[in-house]
Amino acid sequence: MRGKREWVDETINEDAGFRTFYEAVGGIRMVDSTQDLAVFQNPTFGKMMILDGAVQVTERDEFIYHEMMAHVALFAHGAVRRVLIVGGGDGGIAREVLRHRAVASITLVEIDGAVVDLCRAEFPAISAGAFDDPRLRVVIADGAAFVAGTEDRFDVIIVDSPDPVGPGAVLFQPPFYRACKAALAPGGLMVTQSGMPFLTPGWFASHAETLRTVFPAREFFLSTVPSYTGGPMAHGLLPAEPAAATPALETLATRYAAAGIATRYYTPEIHRAAFALPPYIGTLATGTA
Ligand code: SAM
């Protein structure tokens, strides 16, 4: 007999009312944070973290998002040494980037130290020791302010932002994108979390245009993350220079084999296929919908 069922209500957007419910087993714990942060256990997704009403990470499907946010850019680039992660306080992307032995340093800029503390304690498998790796430097600050003020240059910048609300909103604005472009080393690449085009087509089209004005050669790729409801998630791949950001399959396969990384979602074939956009997304991305 199930105990009293508690439900967590995630509302993605107000108008279409796309709402998803997660049964919280064993109660819902609110965490002291500058943001609305909660943790609970769900039979399907395992332990889950919700921030300002939106699912951020779940134990069971985090590998999909973290592998695609890290490996597409790193294998596309081919010689990454210095990485900046903006957001990413759960440590999942840092874990995946650190698996590339050639990476010399990662700077992770997270605005809320409570997220790092919570994830180290409650989701240790997600960071899997990343926070103790000497190559990782964690800075608790606003990512936009950090990028605007840094003199450092990065081969890859990964913007693991929440949705464009609250403190995350600034990470979707042109000044931040321009500062990121200036902080990319020659041949550098930036990656964004670009939301769910099906749920927010108008926002996605406007976001795509914002990115294109700063990164003319921007491309999008897709991933399917079960707990990010509403269809495929889009990710921006933004080269500092308008070079082809997506190498041939043979090149990706050679780099993947040399890296010796065992993945559960990313493969060179998935990498290439992820850039094949269905027309309903492609036309939004090019402003021809
Ligand atoms: N995968 C999730 C998604 O797609 O929504 C994102 C997860 S990650 C935990 C998002 C992180 O960005 C949160 O820890 C949040 O505290 C952080 N964050 C929000 N605004 C920020 C800012 N301006 N600078 C740095 N980190 C920020």
Side-chain angles (χ1 to χ4, degrees), residues 75 101 249-262 266 268:
F75 283 122
R101 290 183 300 272
L249 180 59
E250 296 70 23
T251 304
L252 293 172
T254 301
R255 292 174 180 171
Y256 181 67
I261 296 173
Y266 177 91

Side-chain angles (χ1 to χ4, degrees), residues 20-278:
T20 43
F21 296 87
Y22 297 92
E23 180 185 5
V25 175
I28 301 163
R29 187 147 45 78
M30 299 309 293
V31 176
D32 278 346
S33 153
T34 54
Q35 303 175 95
D36 176 9
L37 188 54
V39 176
F40 63 96
Q41 189 78 28
N42 173 273
T44 301
F45 288 96
K47 199 175 278 189
M48 300 180 72
M49 176 172 79
I50 287 240
L51 181 63
D52 293 340
V55 172
Q56 297 295 300
V57 72
T58 89
E59 283 178 326
R60 297 273 164 75
D61 70 2
E62 56 83 12
F63 68 94
I64 298 172
Y65 173 84
H66 292 139
E67 286 185 14
M68 291 301 278
M69 285 288 282
H71 300 312
V72 168
L74 270 76
F75 283 122
H77 185 288
V80 174
R81 309 250 325 128
R82 300 151 299 172
V83 175
L84 170 64
I85 299 171
V86 176
D90 51 45
I93 292 178
R95 175 197 75 213
E96 290 302 313
V97 172
L98 286 165
R99 299 173 75 190
H100 292 255
R101 290 183 300 272
V103 167
S105 69
I106 304 174
T107 302
L108 185 149
V109 185
E110 163 59 56
I111 200 167
D112 187 349
V115 174
V116 177
D117 296 341
L118 173 77
C119 292
R120 288 190 75 140
E122 299 278 351
F123 297 86
I126 291 181
S127 51
F131 291 118
D132 300 317
D133 190 305
R135 291 180 289 167
L136 176 66
R137 173 171 78 107
V138 176
V139 176
I140 301 302
D142 169 31
F146 176 89
V147 174
T150 185
E151 300 287 317
D152 293 341
R153 291 298 172 259
F154 303 95
D155 300 306
V156 165
I157 297 177
I158 302 174
V159 185
D160 182 17
S161 61
D163 294 332
V165 293
V170 71
L171 304 180
F172 291 84
Q173 299 303 318
F176 172 66
Y177 293 143
R178 285 194 290 270
C180 285
K181 186 172 185 179
L184 283 172
L189 292 168
M190 183 168 104
V191 182
T192 59
Q193 177 275 92
S194 290
M196 323 301 286
F198 178 82
L199 286 183
T200 53
W203 177 85
F204 177 72
S206 157
H207 168 65
E209 180 56 17
T210 300
L211 286 174
R212 192 194 59 74
T213 55
V214 180
F215 295 91
R218 69 108 175 84
E219 296 182 72
F220 286 108
F221 60 96
L222 304 178
S223 68
T224 306
V225 185
S227 60
Y228 295 164
T229 43
M233 168 170 261
H235 308 263
L237 186 66
L238 308 144
E241 293 104 27
T246 309
L249 180 59
E250 296 70 23
T251 304
L252 293 172
T254 301
R255 292 174 180 171
Y256 181 67
I261 296 173
T263 47
R264 298 171 59 202
Y265 187 90
Y266 177 91
T267 67
E269 293 77 8
I270 286 281
H271 183 141
R272 293 281 304 178
F275 285 85
L277 303 181

